[in-house]
Amino acid sequence: MNKTTKQSALNAHSWAGVFLSFLLFMVCVSGTLAVFHQEFERWEQPGIPEMTDIDANTVDNAMAAFRAQHPQSTDHEFVVFPTSGIPRLVVENDDIAYFADTDGQLLETERSPFTKMLIDLHLYLNLPHSWGMILVSALGAIICTLVVTGIVAHKRIKKDAFVLRRKGNRQQYKIDLHNRFGLWAAPFHLIIGVTGAYFGMAGLIVVLVSQLYFDGDRDAAVAKIFTPDPELAQEVVTPEIGKAIAQMDSLAPEHELIFLTVHERGSPQQFIEIYAKAPRKMIYSENYRFDSQGEFLGTAGYQGGHWGKQLVYSMYRLHFGDFAGVPSKLLYFVLGIMLTVLCVSGMEIWLAKKANPPRLTRIWYAMVWGSISSLAITAAVSLVSEESLIAVFWALMLVNLVVSVAVERCGQSFWFTVAGVSVLAMLIVYLSVHGADSLSVAALQLNVPMFLFALWALRRAFTLRQFSASRHFQTQQG
């Protein structure tokens, strides 16, 4: 192999490494933000009246008003309860959703385009879902591999467990930080990697289990893990959801209601299913089933089911940290930042070992910190436009890439500045759109942290410029 071919292969390897690291970063940073997906939904519509509880009559009134306004046939109807994690009442079908007040009167339609785009970015990287899920799951498996191999390869894991050398070589500080974050949060990283890989491999797991235990019958394997629907043949009537809800106080007094689904709406197989959070359990819910007339049929059996069944039904809460309210979300947010920093620092350590190739380094900074500005501007667009947010976000990312290639002075400090200014601009747009509602709890719980982040980013940009100017001066003096 001649020298030119080897160099081309090396360049291709470098670009592939940057691209893979970028994908890992995007999954990690979007997942860290998506921990607060319920808070983002509230943030997008901060003026909606909030409540802590509702009664069955309120839900009946809200659903009656909804059906009167949308009488078209639908396969499902849903009610999202204020105890779901979002303190609002929502009634919806397969096509549209409305908020309702404490009297059951319909308010405005539910609209959370930025939150949906963010979740889609984390779960599918905004790709077609079948392909995106496979790719993201593969990245989850890569995270597990990196964590395990990183720990095994560390020669002084006990000695260096609490070493963080701030003075002297900046590269050594990055290496210490990378190693500490990788070690301290390794259990969390493995949980995220395994559960993330599971979501894309669930279909493969079903195929494997069906071949091993059910003679290839996939339906039988799924029924063993997820309780099948009840078999009913009844008169088609308007489902008595209020009657079903009223029974939950006696059936499951300690369970918080998450949401309700009317399955097979308008058919003899129609039934009501109420999803309720089981106390002291990691499972997503225990499901209580009722027929069309609100008569209790039984539970889905997740709360007391086989440990394997409970484990599968716990994957969502394990992955998103939605099991102990705000404290678990904050913990997952901090640990998610650590995992994101791990991705960034690992790549920067590698770039430094390669003497920081100018174009490759600029592109990396543009993709990492430029993605923050792209998310902020995309959020601002969602407040004033109905444009496709996926198209907006990736168009902005393309602009960042072009700028980083074309302009040699677009270093790390530049992209920190762009990120900080973009977040501040988004907050200004938010204030102009929502006015006084920008001071509600639903708005401030995110606006305040985002404002602090913008100040930090601008401060960081200033510090980096000072450091760069100092090094330039020392070089000239030398």
Short mmCIF file of all heavy atoms in Angstrom, two decimals, residues 264-301:
data_model
loop_
_atom_site.label_atom_id
_atom_site.label_comp_id
_atom_site.label_asym_id
_atom_site.label_seq_id
_atom_site.Cartn_x
_atom_site.Cartn_y
_atom_site.Cartn_z
N GLU A 264 -60.18 0.38 20.87
CA GLU A 264 -61.17 -0.13 19.89
C GLU A 264 -62.47 0.66 19.97
O GLU A 264 -63.56 0.11 20.03
CB GLU A 264 -61.44 -1.62 20.14
CG GLU A 264 -60.20 -2.49 20.24
CD GLU A 264 -59.38 -2.48 18.96
OE1 GLU A 264 -59.94 -2.23 17.89
OE2 GLU A 264 -58.16 -2.70 19.06
N ARG A 265 -62.35 1.98 19.98
CA ARG A 265 -63.51 2.87 20.14
C ARG A 265 -64.59 2.58 19.11
O ARG A 265 -64.33 2.48 17.92
CB ARG A 265 -63.05 4.33 20.02
CG ARG A 265 -64.15 5.36 20.16
CD ARG A 265 -64.63 5.45 21.60
NE ARG A 265 -65.54 6.57 21.76
CZ ARG A 265 -66.88 6.51 21.66
NH1 ARG A 265 -67.45 5.34 21.35
NH2 ARG A 265 -67.63 7.55 21.84
N GLY A 266 -65.82 2.41 19.59
CA GLY A 266 -66.97 2.20 18.71
C GLY A 266 -67.12 0.80 18.18
O GLY A 266 -67.86 0.58 17.22
N SER A 267 -66.45 -0.17 18.82
CA SER A 267 -66.57 -1.57 18.37
C SER A 267 -67.01 -2.43 19.55
O SER A 267 -66.91 -2.03 20.71
CB SER A 267 -65.22 -2.06 17.83
OG SER A 267 -64.32 -2.31 18.90
N PRO A 268 -67.49 -3.66 19.29
CA PRO A 268 -67.87 -4.56 20.39
C PRO A 268 -66.69 -4.93 21.30
O PRO A 268 -66.90 -5.37 22.43
CB PRO A 268 -68.42 -5.80 19.66
CG PRO A 268 -68.84 -5.29 18.32
CD PRO A 268 -67.85 -4.23 17.97
N GLN A 269 -65.46 -4.76 20.82
CA GLN A 269 -64.27 -5.09 21.62
C GLN A 269 -63.78 -3.90 22.45
O GLN A 269 -62.75 -3.96 23.10
CB GLN A 269 -63.13 -5.56 20.71
CG GLN A 269 -63.37 -6.89 20.02
CD GLN A 269 -64.29 -6.75 18.83
OE1 GLN A 269 -64.19 -5.79 18.07
NE2 GLN A 269 -65.21 -7.69 18.65
N GLN A 270 -64.54 -2.83 22.44
CA GLN A 270 -64.14 -1.62 23.13
C GLN A 270 -63.94 -1.87 24.64
O GLN A 270 -64.73 -2.54 25.28
CB GLN A 270 -65.23 -0.57 22.92
CG GLN A 270 -65.08 0.72 23.71
CD GLN A 270 -66.22 1.67 23.40
OE1 GLN A 270 -66.15 2.43 22.44
NE2 GLN A 270 -67.29 1.61 24.18
N PHE A 271 -62.84 -1.32 25.19
CA PHE A 271 -62.66 -1.39 26.64
C PHE A 271 -61.84 -0.19 27.12
O PHE A 271 -61.15 0.47 26.33
CB PHE A 271 -62.00 -2.71 27.06
CG PHE A 271 -60.53 -2.84 26.71
CD1 PHE A 271 -59.55 -2.59 27.64
CD2 PHE A 271 -60.14 -3.24 25.44
CE1 PHE A 271 -58.20 -2.72 27.33
CE2 PHE A 271 -58.80 -3.39 25.11
CZ PHE A 271 -57.82 -3.13 26.06
N ILE A 272 -61.94 0.07 28.40
CA ILE A 272 -61.27 1.20 29.04
C ILE A 272 -60.07 0.68 29.81
O ILE A 272 -60.18 -0.32 30.54
CB ILE A 272 -62.23 1.93 29.99
CG1 ILE A 272 -63.47 2.42 29.24
CG2 ILE A 272 -61.53 3.10 30.69
CD1 ILE A 272 -64.63 2.81 30.16
N GLU A 273 -58.93 1.34 29.68
CA GLU A 273 -57.74 0.94 30.42
C GLU A 273 -57.15 2.17 31.11
O GLU A 273 -56.83 3.16 30.46
CB GLU A 273 -56.72 0.30 29.48
CG GLU A 273 -55.53 -0.30 30.20
CD GLU A 273 -54.72 -1.23 29.32
OE1 GLU A 273 -54.68 -1.00 28.08
OE2 GLU A 273 -54.13 -2.20 29.84
N ILE A 274 -57.00 2.09 32.41
CA ILE A 274 -56.43 3.18 33.21
C ILE A 274 -55.03 2.77 33.64
O ILE A 274 -54.83 1.73 34.27
CB ILE A 274 -57.30 3.50 34.43
CG1 ILE A 274 -58.68 4.01 33.98
CG2 ILE A 274 -56.62 4.54 35.31
CD1 ILE A 274 -59.63 4.30 35.13
N TYR A 275 -54.06 3.61 33.28
CA TYR A 275 -52.67 3.38 33.64
C TYR A 275 -52.36 4.15 34.93
O TYR A 275 -52.53 5.38 34.98
CB TYR A 275 -51.74 3.86 32.52
CG TYR A 275 -51.93 3.13 31.21
CD1 TYR A 275 -53.07 3.34 30.43
CD2 TYR A 275 -50.97 2.25 30.74
CE1 TYR A 275 -53.25 2.67 29.22
CE2 TYR A 275 -51.12 1.58 29.53
CZ TYR A 275 -52.27 1.80 28.79
OH TYR A 275 -52.45 1.14 27.60
N ALA A 276 -51.93 3.43 35.96
CA ALA A 276 -51.68 4.05 37.27
C ALA A 276 -50.28 3.68 37.74
O ALA A 276 -49.86 2.53 37.64
CB ALA A 276 -52.73 3.59 38.27
N LYS A 277 -49.57 4.68 38.28
CA LYS A 277 -48.21 4.46 38.75
C LYS A 277 -48.23 3.65 40.04
O LYS A 277 -48.86 4.04 41.02
CB LYS A 277 -47.49 5.79 38.97
CG LYS A 277 -46.03 5.66 39.30
CD LYS A 277 -45.35 7.01 39.39
CE LYS A 277 -43.86 6.86 39.71
NZ LYS A 277 -43.18 8.18 39.77
N ALA A 278 -47.52 2.54 40.05
CA ALA A 278 -47.49 1.66 41.22
C ALA A 278 -46.46 2.17 42.22
O ALA A 278 -45.30 2.37 41.86
CB ALA A 278 -47.15 0.23 40.80
N PRO A 279 -46.85 2.40 43.47
CA PRO A 279 -45.89 2.90 44.47
C PRO A 279 -44.80 1.87 44.75
O PRO A 279 -45.04 0.67 44.76
CB PRO A 279 -46.77 3.13 45.71
CG PRO A 279 -47.96 2.26 45.52
CD PRO A 279 -48.19 2.19 44.04
N ARG A 280 -43.59 2.40 44.93
CA ARG A 280 -42.42 1.58 45.27
C ARG A 280 -42.10 0.53 44.19
O ARG A 280 -41.52 -0.51 44.48
CB ARG A 280 -42.61 0.90 46.64
CG ARG A 280 -42.76 1.89 47.78
CD ARG A 280 -43.09 1.20 49.08
NE ARG A 280 -44.40 0.53 49.03
CZ ARG A 280 -45.57 1.16 49.20
NH1 ARG A 280 -45.60 2.47 49.41
NH2 ARG A 280 -46.70 0.49 49.14
N LYS A 281 -42.49 0.83 42.97
CA LYS A 281 -42.19 -0.06 41.84
C LYS A 281 -41.59 0.77 40.70
O LYS A 281 -41.97 1.92 40.48
CB LYS A 281 -43.46 -0.76 41.34
CG LYS A 281 -43.99 -1.85 42.27
CD LYS A 281 -43.17 -3.12 42.16
CE LYS A 281 -43.79 -4.25 42.94
NZ LYS A 281 -43.04 -5.52 42.78
N MET A 282 -40.65 0.16 39.97
CA MET A 282 -40.03 0.83 38.84
C MET A 282 -40.85 0.67 37.56
O MET A 282 -40.63 1.41 36.59
CB MET A 282 -38.62 0.28 38.62
CG MET A 282 -37.80 1.04 37.60
SD MET A 282 -37.34 2.71 38.14
CE MET A 282 -36.06 2.32 39.32
N ILE A 283 -41.80 -0.26 37.54
CA ILE A 283 -42.60 -0.47 36.34
C ILE A 283 -43.30 0.82 35.94
O ILE A 283 -43.60 1.66 36.79
CB ILE A 283 -43.62 -1.60 36.53
CG1 ILE A 283 -44.59 -1.27 37.68
CG2 ILE A 283 -42.94 -2.92 36.74
CD1 ILE A 283 -45.75 -2.22 37.81
N TYR A 284 -43.58 0.95 34.64
CA TYR A 284 -44.23 2.17 34.18
C TYR A 284 -45.60 2.35 34.82
O TYR A 284 -45.95 3.44 35.26
CB TYR A 284 -44.38 2.16 32.65
CG TYR A 284 -45.05 3.42 32.14
CD1 TYR A 284 -44.33 4.60 32.07
CD2 TYR A 284 -46.39 3.41 31.76
CE1 TYR A 284 -44.94 5.77 31.64
CE2 TYR A 284 -47.00 4.57 31.34
CZ TYR A 284 -46.28 5.75 31.28
OH TYR A 284 -46.89 6.91 30.86
N SER A 285 -46.37 1.26 34.92
CA SER A 285 -47.72 1.37 35.48
C SER A 285 -48.29 0.00 35.76
O SER A 285 -47.78 -1.01 35.26
CB SER A 285 -48.65 2.11 34.51
OG SER A 285 -48.85 1.33 33.33
N GLU A 286 -49.33 -0.03 36.55
CA GLU A 286 -50.25 -1.16 36.57
C GLU A 286 -51.49 -0.69 35.83
O GLU A 286 -51.92 0.46 35.99
CB GLU A 286 -50.60 -1.57 38.00
CG GLU A 286 -51.57 -2.75 38.07
CD GLU A 286 -51.08 -4.01 37.34
OE1 GLU A 286 -51.21 -4.04 36.09
OE2 GLU A 286 -50.57 -4.91 38.01
N ASN A 287 -52.05 -1.56 35.01
CA ASN A 287 -53.15 -1.17 34.14
C ASN A 287 -54.45 -1.81 34.62
O ASN A 287 -54.52 -3.03 34.78
CB ASN A 287 -52.86 -1.60 32.70
CG ASN A 287 -51.57 -0.99 32.18
OD1 ASN A 287 -50.93 -0.17 32.84
ND2 ASN A 287 -51.16 -1.39 30.99
N TYR A 288 -55.46 -0.97 34.81
CA TYR A 288 -56.77 -1.42 35.29
C TYR A 288 -57.76 -1.35 34.14
O TYR A 288 -57.91 -0.30 33.50
CB TYR A 288 -57.22 -0.55 36.47
CG TYR A 288 -56.33 -0.73 37.68
CD1 TYR A 288 -55.09 -0.11 37.76
CD2 TYR A 288 -56.72 -1.56 38.73
CE1 TYR A 288 -54.26 -0.29 38.85
CE2 TYR A 288 -55.90 -1.74 39.84
CZ TYR A 288 -54.67 -1.12 39.89
OH TYR A 288 -53.84 -1.31 40.97
N ARG A 289 -58.44 -2.47 33.89
CA ARG A 289 -59.28 -2.59 32.69
C ARG A 289 -60.75 -2.67 33.06
O ARG A 289 -61.13 -3.34 34.03
CB ARG A 289 -58.84 -3.83 31.90
CG ARG A 289 -57.43 -3.66 31.33
CD ARG A 289 -56.85 -4.92 30.80
NE ARG A 289 -55.66 -4.64 30.00
CZ ARG A 289 -55.00 -5.53 29.29
NH1 ARG A 289 -55.41 -6.79 29.26
NH2 ARG A 289 -53.93 -5.19 28.60
N PHE A 290 -61.55 -2.00 32.23
CA PHE A 290 -63.00 -1.94 32.44
C PHE A 290 -63.70 -2.13 31.10
O PHE A 290 -63.16 -1.78 30.05
CB PHE A 290 -63.40 -0.57 33.02
CG PHE A 290 -62.66 -0.19 34.28
CD1 PHE A 290 -61.37 0.35 34.22
CD2 PHE A 290 -63.26 -0.37 35.52
CE1 PHE A 290 -60.70 0.70 35.38
CE2 PHE A 290 -62.59 -0.03 36.69
CZ PHE A 290 -61.31 0.51 36.61
N ASP A 291 -64.92 -2.67 31.14
CA ASP A 291 -65.67 -2.79 29.90
C ASP A 291 -66.32 -1.45 29.55
O ASP A 291 -66.12 -0.45 30.26
CB ASP A 291 -66.69 -3.93 29.98
CG ASP A 291 -67.79 -3.68 31.03
OD1 ASP A 291 -67.96 -2.52 31.47
OD2 ASP A 291 -68.48 -4.65 31.40
N SER A 292 -67.10 -1.43 28.50
CA SER A 292 -67.68 -0.17 28.03
C SER A 292 -68.58 0.51 29.06
O SER A 292 -68.70 1.73 29.10
CB SER A 292 -68.49 -0.41 26.74
OG SER A 292 -67.64 -0.82 25.69
N GLN A 293 -69.22 -0.29 29.92
CA GLN A 293 -70.12 0.25 30.93
C GLN A 293 -69.41 0.57 32.25
O GLN A 293 -70.05 0.85 33.25
CB GLN A 293 -71.27 -0.73 31.17
CG GLN A 293 -72.16 -0.91 29.93
CD GLN A 293 -73.32 -1.84 30.19
OE1 GLN A 293 -73.32 -2.58 31.16
NE2 GLN A 293 -74.32 -1.79 29.30
N GLY A 294 -68.08 0.51 32.23
CA GLY A 294 -67.31 0.87 33.41
C GLY A 294 -67.20 -0.21 34.45
O GLY A 294 -66.81 0.06 35.60
N GLU A 295 -67.53 -1.45 34.09
CA GLU A 295 -67.41 -2.56 35.04
C GLU A 295 -65.98 -3.09 35.04
O GLU A 295 -65.39 -3.35 33.98
CB GLU A 295 -68.38 -3.68 34.67
CG GLU A 295 -69.85 -3.27 34.72
CD GLU A 295 -70.30 -2.85 36.11
OE1 GLU A 295 -69.72 -3.38 37.10
OE2 GLU A 295 -71.21 -2.01 36.22
N PHE A 296 -65.42 -3.27 36.22
CA PHE A 296 -64.02 -3.68 36.36
C PHE A 296 -63.81 -5.11 35.85
O PHE A 296 -64.52 -6.03 36.23
CB PHE A 296 -63.60 -3.59 37.83
CG PHE A 296 -62.17 -3.97 38.09
CD1 PHE A 296 -61.13 -3.33 37.42
CD2 PHE A 296 -61.86 -4.96 39.01
CE1 PHE A 296 -59.81 -3.69 37.66
CE2 PHE A 296 -60.55 -5.32 39.26
CZ PHE A 296 -59.51 -4.68 38.59
N LEU A 297 -62.80 -5.27 34.97
CA LEU A 297 -62.48 -6.58 34.40
C LEU A 297 -61.27 -7.23 35.07
O LEU A 297 -61.18 -8.45 35.14
CB LEU A 297 -62.19 -6.44 32.90
CG LEU A 297 -63.33 -5.92 32.02
CD1 LEU A 297 -62.82 -5.68 30.60
CD2 LEU A 297 -64.49 -6.90 32.01
N GLY A 298 -60.33 -6.44 35.54
CA GLY A 298 -59.11 -6.96 36.13
C GLY A 298 -57.92 -6.10 35.76
O GLY A 298 -58.05 -5.08 35.06
N THR A 299 -56.75 -6.49 36.22
CA THR A 299 -55.54 -5.75 35.92
C THR A 299 -54.72 -6.47 34.85
O THR A 299 -54.96 -7.64 34.54
CB THR A 299 -54.67 -5.57 37.18
OG1 THR A 299 -54.13 -6.84 37.56
CG2 THR A 299 -55.49 -4.99 38.33
N ALA A 300 -53.73 -5.75 34.32
CA ALA A 300 -52.83 -6.36 33.33
C ALA A 300 -51.78 -7.23 34.01
O ALA A 300 -51.08 -8.00 33.33
CB ALA A 300 -52.16 -5.27 32.50
N GLY A 301 -51.60 -7.11 35.31
CA GLY A 301 -50.71 -7.99 36.04
C GLY A 301 -49.24 -7.65 35.99
O GLY A 301 -48.40 -8.52 36.18
#
